[in-house]
Amino acid sequence: MLDEKAGYPALAPEGYDEETRSYVFTGFITKTPLEKGGKEPRRVLLPEIYMLRQLMLKKKDKQGRPVDYTKVVFGEEWMARQERRPLLDNGARVFFLRAGREVEVTD
């Protein structure tokens, strides 16, 4: 399958948050390309975007729990800003951590 050759997944499911009725993911990407001595490349992959989109279209997770929104939390601001557009366009809310607090990216 061609999607497997695109790289490693960038989103790791953290699980369902009953209080906010959201499904939460941790996001991680790399900055330095492999050819320049970096780690294996990581970007948000198309299958991950489709999966988020399906959660938003169905409005429920695989267990049938209601999902009002999906949330992707990156460890650093540059990661969230670099990957935000396809995530925001498909209904996800995007955050990064600053001093242990979540900051939402809305633009």
Side-chain angles (χ1 to χ4, degrees):
M1 185 160 140
L2 286 176
D3 291 334
E4 295 172 352
K5 297 182 187 222
Y8 291 102
L11 304 181
E14 291 299 316
Y16 184 75
D17 183 341
E18 289 185 36
E19 185 177 317
T20 61
R21 293 175 30 149
S22 64
Y23 206 90
V24 183
F25 296 85
T26 297
F28 175 79
I29 61 169
T30 56
K31 194 179 246 184
T32 307
L34 188 61
E35 61 271 8
K36 293 185 179 179
K39 298 177 183 178
E40 288 293 323
R42 284 186 195 249
R43 300 287 308 263
V44 176
L45 302 174
L46 281 175
E48 294 175 303
I49 293 168
Y50 293 146
M51 179 259 313
L52 291 173
R53 185 176 183 176
Q54 285 302 308
L55 270 170
M56 293 311 304
L57 290 172
K58 291 181 178 179
K59 296 286 191 192
K60 60 184 175 180
D61 68 3
K62 290 181 181 180
Q63 286 74 39
R65 298 174 292 199
V67 175
D68 291 339
Y69 65 93
T70 56
K71 177 178 178 178
V72 180
V73 182
F74 290 92
E76 297 185 36
E77 182 176 358
W78 71 267
M79 293 178 180
R81 294 208 178 274
Q82 180 174 308
E83 300 297 310
R84 75 187 183 281
R85 187 48 44 211
L87 298 172
L88 292 173
D89 288 350
N90 284 281
R93 293 177 66 186
V94 179
F95 297 81
F96 62 90
L97 297 176
R98 179 184 289 151
R101 302 182 90 163
E102 292 179 355
V103 177
E104 187 167 9
V105 177
T106 58
D107 60 351

